[in-house]
Every structure is written in structure tokens, then in C-alpha cells.
Amino acid sequence: TTFGLATLRTFGLFAALVTTAVAAGLRHPGAAGAGVVTGLIAFGFTVACPVSGHHALGGWWFGQLALTGAMLVVSLAALGRGDRTGTAIQH
């Protein structure tokens, strides 16, 4: 059903967001990758909202698009940065 799919997708976004926050808090190298996944999901939700007819376009939507886009860009930049110190990360 539509309600079930929406709930599942929302749970996926929440799980990705928690994973990103925990990984970043622990300074885990996978935090940037988790941030990219979270950013893609959030950005996709933002684009899908008016496309699916859920909401009409409004000023709030452009703000949300800018924020989710910025989150994705920052995560992609962090992912591309990697370890530039030349030392291996030990766990």
C-alpha cells in the first residue's frame, strides 16, 4: 500500500540519518559515505514532493532543496577528501 511504502521510505531516511550522525560522532571514516546516502535520500524526497503532487511548489521548497543539496555536496566533498595525511587510519 502507499502508506506502507511511505513509512518504509521514511524509516530508511531516519536510519540513514542516525547512521550518519553516529558515524560522524565516532569520527568513523564511513561517515562521509553515510552522509552521501542520507543526502541522496533527502534530496530525492525533496524533489519527489512536488513531482508526485504531494505539495505544490512554495518558498519553503526552495529552502529545503538548498539545504538537502548542500548536505549532499558537503558529504560528497568529504567523501572525495579521504585521508590526505598519508597515514593509515587504524581501528
Side-chain angles (χ1 to χ4, degrees):
T1 66
T2 302
F3 178 76
L5 289 175
T7 302
L8 185 60
R9 286 180 274 203
T10 301
F11 179 75
L13 175 61
F14 180 72
L17 187 58
V18 169
T19 300
T20 301
V22 170
L26 295 173
R27 301 180 68 108
H28 190 277
V36 169
V37 170
T38 303
L40 285 170
I41 294 170
F43 192 80
F45 274 17
T46 301
V47 171
C49 195
V51 170
S52 68
H54 180 71
H55 285 115
L57 284 178
W60 63 270
W61 183 82
F62 292 101
Q64 183 175 335
L65 185 68
L67 288 173
T68 56
M71 179 172 136
L72 180 56
V73 168
V74 168
S75 295
L76 284 167
L79 186 64
R81 210 174 123 221
D83 179 30
R84 296 183 189 253
T85 62
T87 59
I89 298 173
Q90 301 292 322
H91 292 282

